[in-house]
Amino acid sequence: MSVITQTYPVKGMSCASCSAHVDKALRSVAGVTEVNVSLAMNVAKVTYDNAQCTPTDLQQAVERMGFELVVEEAETEGGGGENSCRTAGTQAVDKAAEAEMGKLQQTKRLAYGAVLTVVPLLVLSLMPGLFSGQEVALFFLASFSLWKFGRAFYAPAWRLLKHGTSNMDTLVALSITVSYVYSFFNLFFPQWFTAHGMKPHLYFDSVGVITAFILLGRMLEARAKHSTTNAIRKLMGLQPKQVITIMPNGTERTKSIGDVKPGDVLMARPGERIAVDGVVTEGTSTVDESMLSGEPIPVGKALGERVMAGTINKNGTLRYRAEKAATDTLLAHIVRMVQNAQNSKVPVQALVDRIAAVFVPAIIGIALLSLAAWLVLSPDNGLTHGLIAMVSVLVIACPCSLGLATPTAIIVGMGRGANNGILIKDATCLETARRIDCVLLDKTGTLTIGHPEVVDTHFAQDNGKLAAVLCALEHRSEHPLAEAICQHFKGAEPLEVTHFAALPGNGVEGVVGSQHFLIGSTALMQDKKRIFTTAQRNVIDSWLHKAYTIVAMADEQHVVALVALNDELKSTSAKAVSELKALGISTYMLTGDNEATAAAVAAQVGADHYVARMLPADKADFVKGLQAAGHQVAMVGDGINDSAALAQADLSVAMGRGSDIAIDTAMMTLLTSDLMRLPQAIRLSNRTVRTIKENLFWAFFYNVVSVPIAAGVLYPLCGFMLNPMIAGAAMALSSVSVVANSLRSGMGKL
């Protein structure tokens, strides 16, 4: 058994009913476990067992529904090859976008042609009696419009009819056919109507106007849909397709990005983009990383510095060793994450999909009932009014607005987030983020810069020897404070350490020479019964008032050294906490520091609550406690040390820079270390969910209200009958308005 996920372009989809049919067809294939069809991006992502079915089976199932699944252009997640720099689904999205652009150009030609045809058609309809045979001229103009431009609806409607399915094209084709045939008989066989006491009416203008309006609407809709995917196309365009490789003999060779392997030495000249993630081996320069981190200031790069794919080398030539293949870079992760998020669905979309699956047959049924009701209830003018009502119902119903309401809002929202360094895993996270009422902030690296420095020391005796012992023990520790201490005492004499042991969350211990030493917090020293002198206690009190972090070292009985470290707060931390509070969110600062330091830092940033001396293992229990009290909790951390708490939280947020962040596991990832991105992410979630609700309200409200009006329910009250031409304009504008509202949500400040 081999379960794989592939993304395929889908041709022929034009409304929510289409995507529902494709979804149903794919799910009917044995071995398929998951299907996600995106009407907005015209692709289908399918997870299946290739031992039970093949891409050809999927293609045939979709073809039986009247659509085309392009298996030749499918992509397997993590696939390689010449274009392996493109992440899973990227080429499929590219091909679908190309097909959509071709369809847009064709629709544009048809729409403009239909408008040119409808102008004389309307003039002749609105100004009768201009010349003899005017009605026949109307007939020929309507016939030309039907033949030349109506085939945009007839061809797909017929294709689907042969497979026993239907979509919006079916509704439009039926409406213009009824208008045309009714007018044809009124023009050439008027005696039948006059013999029954009815005045024959011509609706040739409706044929042309409905066709023109709907084609114009589709053109505007396609343009707007294309705009919603701008963000993902920009991301996909960041990585160059070719790169200069330095061969072992020193010569330069240009190769495809898909051929780059880890270990290859590559070159980036001024103005060129970095091809893959790597480490600088030669040269100095500055690199613009704003497209990934959101930081506008270029970052200096020299020997040993990391560079990221998609960033721009500014003013010097760099040689760098590739660490990852093109499909594994940070940029590839970002593109893949954004694509998956844009293709994801909010829970309410399941209801929309069920409605879309039966929408077209239901509308046809309502249209026929409208005709029957008019014939029964109004014997005198029932046929005329009934036909008008039937045509109006067929034309005005709009499954497109239903199908586009959610995905366009998600695509715009996720794209806007990606452009601002905010990656959201899927649409469900949006709903979760907007309900958050508590945010837990890890102090080190989240509120602070994350690079502590030694600012003061106090030794009980010969500080040279004790500094060497301190450095020798801390050199074996992986704690960030240990790294800062080793950096401060880097000139100390190297000493051999035996019986070394790490005390997780507390400190380290070991034997140097014949003496045992213990390093950790002042609280650890008290727990281990180590003795402080009065002078040491005075020093500690002084440092605590300055919010320093204190590390102590003791021998078997006494504390022999004290080290004060300070991790500077980020310039935006206080403002970010203030904005979170303005959103009605309570903030908690979690730290392993002592009570006094924790209180001082919490006061500086304005956190509502703080918890001191918290071990990493305790954070998950703290999250559980808040959840048990009915809170929706977000945990913000580095994605590694706080993994248990991140997994427990309702919303896990990883923040940091470069590839060190847990981009694949966090529900939300902030690419930059700026905490201001967090309130922006919450506001983005609120805005996107609000847009989804607005779109769905409009889509449902439009169809629920417009269909009865088109059927003629207002006629007994005020004599109003909806003109089919107005119905066509309303239908065209409904789907355009939904997409336009989604685009509007992507504007303005976060």
Side-chain angles (χ1 to χ4, degrees), residues 209-545:
V209 172
I210 290 170
T211 302
F213 270 139
I214 293 178
L215 286 173
L216 278 173
R218 285 193 175 181
M219 181 188 73
L220 295 173
E221 177 189 318
R223 280 181 176 176
K225 279 172 61 180
H226 187 69
S227 298
T228 63
T229 56
N230 279 341
I232 190 67
R233 287 198 302 276
K234 286 179 182 177
L235 284 172
M236 291 189 294
L238 290 179
Q239 197 164 39
K241 294 184 178 180
Q242 292 186 319
V243 62
I244 297 174
T245 305
I246 307 300
M247 306 306 292
N249 59 7
T251 59
E252 300 176 4
R253 178 183 298 176
T254 300
K255 66 164 59 174
S256 168
I257 186 70
D259 295 330
V260 173
K261 298 178 179 61
D264 288 352
V265 178
L266 312 175
M267 184 170 72
R269 291 175 293 215
E272 293 181 343
R273 290 190 183 273
I274 303 298
V276 297
D277 296 352
V279 176
V280 175
T281 59
E282 183 180 326
T284 58
S285 183
T286 57
V287 175
D288 181 2
E289 298 181 344
S290 60
M291 63 289 300
L292 295 182
S293 69
E295 303 286 354
I297 301 175
V299 180
K301 299 294 180 183
L303 182 67
E305 298 277 353
R306 294 175 58 80
V307 289
M308 297 292 174
T311 57
I312 302 174
N313 183 31
K314 300 293 287 184
N315 52 20
T317 298
L318 291 176
R319 291 190 179 187
Y320 57 100
R321 179 174 290 104
E323 286 190 324
K324 297 178 180 179
T327 52
D328 298 323
T329 63
L330 173 64
L331 177 62
H333 279 292
I334 293 172
V335 172
R336 184 154 52 242
M337 189 172 184
V338 174
Q339 279 184 333
N340 290 338
Q342 289 185 336
N343 284 330
S344 64
K345 297 180 179 181
V346 291
V348 73
Q349 186 65 28
L351 172 63
V352 176
D353 291 342
R354 287 196 296 271
I355 293 173
V358 298
F359 187 89
V360 173
I363 291 299
I364 294 174
I366 292 172
L368 292 174
L369 282 175
S370 300
L371 173 61
W374 275 104
L375 291 174
V376 172
L377 300 175
S378 179
D380 294 335
N381 297 307
L383 181 59
T384 301
H385 287 159
L387 286 171
I388 292 173
M390 183 173 72
V391 171
S392 296
V393 168
L394 291 171
V395 171
I396 205 167
C398 187
C400 288
S401 58
L402 283 173
L404 295 171
T406 296
T408 53
I410 290 173
I411 288 171
V412 171
M414 300 298 186
R416 179 74 188 279
N419 286 338
N420 285 274
I422 303 167
L423 302 182
I424 301 171
K425 190 170 187 179
D426 55 39
T428 305
C429 297
L430 294 171
E431 282 282 3
T432 303
R434 64 185 294 271
R435 292 196 299 267
I436 292 299
D437 60 5
C438 290
V439 170
L440 310 186
L441 302 165
D442 187 42
K443 186 193 74 129
T444 304
T446 300
L447 292 170
T448 65
I449 292 174
H451 298 291
E453 295 179 348
V454 175
V455 292
D456 205 350
T457 58
H458 179 86
F459 293 94
Q461 48 183 300
D462 179 12
N463 60 1
K465 179 181 178 182
L466 290 176
V469 172
L470 183 65
C471 189
L473 285 166
E474 292 286 38
H475 185 71
R476 293 184 170 225
S477 174
E478 296 180 355
H479 198 281
L481 296 181
E483 184 180 348
I485 291 172
C486 290
Q487 181 65 27
H488 184 76
F489 296 110
K490 58 184 177 182
E493 176 188 357
L495 300 175
E496 183 180 354
V497 178
T498 58
H499 300 92
F500 176 85
L503 309 174
N506 287 301
V508 297
E509 62 182 343
V511 175
V512 177
S514 60
Q515 197 168 9
H516 178 272
F517 289 94
L518 174 70
I519 298 177
S521 65
T522 56
L524 177 66
M525 299 300 148
Q526 291 170 350
D527 291 343
K528 298 293 185 179
K529 310 299 183 185
R530 298 306 194 262
I531 301 170
F532 290 91
T533 66
T534 302
Q536 288 172 337
R537 293 189 185 279
N538 290 336
V539 169
I540 290 171
D541 289 340
S542 172
W543 287 351
L544 289 178
H545 279 97

Side-chain angles (χ1 to χ4, degrees), residues 589-604:
M589 186 192 78
L590 309 183
T591 179
D593 267 334
N594 57 74
E595 185 78 17
T597 300
V601 174
Q604 289 177 34

Side-chain angles (χ1 to χ4, degrees), residues 70 105 112 129 145 348 379 386 394 417-418 596 623 678 692:
V70 188
Q105 297 303 320
Y112 290 158
S145 178
V348 73
L394 291 171
V623 173
L678 182 58
I692 290 171

